[in-house]
Amino acid sequence: DVDGEELARQLSLRDLENLCNVKDAELFHLRWMKNEGKLSPHITALVADFNALAMWIVSCIVTEKSSRARAEVIEAAINLFYELLALNNLHSAQAVFCALSHSAVTRLKATW
């Protein structure tokens, strides 16, 4: 069990640090899509963190055995989403939203 408010704070601190490290040049000419992201390591790190958070939430949901337990994890993810929005952390909030929208989660009809 993880406190959603504290998790939202820690994710926001991580995202702030990553965003502050982004250099202007990393944003030009889609550099993060060239040379396997080596030209824009901070943008690449933001993308990796986004994907890792989304897939962590998906795996937490789908690995639960009962639909009741999955529903509790989904509820915790929704609460995390709102905590992130309250902190204006749209980056991680979008990752949570993507996790809840993932096909492996949305097809769990008995859970919703």
Side-chain angles (χ1 to χ4, degrees), residues 42-85:
H42 301 103
I43 299 289
T44 305
L46 282 168
V47 171
D49 287 346
F50 181 98
N51 292 335
L53 176 59
M55 293 314 297
W56 175 68
I57 293 170
V58 169
S59 69
C60 286
I61 294 168
V62 300
T63 56
E64 291 293 338
K65 302 275 188 246
S66 70
S67 61
R68 180 180 297 272
R70 286 192 297 268
E72 289 174 3
V73 176
I74 289 171
E75 181 180 3
I78 292 169
N79 290 337
L80 175 61
F81 173 78
Y82 284 115
E83 291 290 344
L84 289 163
L85 285 181

Side-chain angles (χ1 to χ4, degrees), residues 23-52:
K23 307 292 186 252
D24 293 343
E26 292 185 52
L27 300 170
F28 299 131
H29 308 293
L30 303 174
R31 293 181 80 176
W32 63 90
M33 298 180 75
K34 298 174 183 170
N35 294 327
E36 299 174 0
K38 293 176 185 170
L39 298 175
S40 54
H42 301 103
I43 299 289
T44 305
L46 282 168
V47 171
D49 287 346
F50 181 98
N51 292 335

Side-chain angles (χ1 to χ4, degrees), residues 10-23 26-27 40-50 89 91-92:
Q10 294 304 316
L11 289 170
S12 296
L13 288 172
R14 181 199 65 186
D15 291 346
L16 176 63
E17 182 177 346
N18 285 341
L19 283 170
C20 287
N21 288 330
V22 173
K23 307 292 186 252
E26 292 185 52
L27 300 170
S40 54
H42 301 103
I43 299 289
T44 305
L46 282 168
V47 171
D49 287 346
F50 181 98
N89 183 345
H91 177 76
S92 288

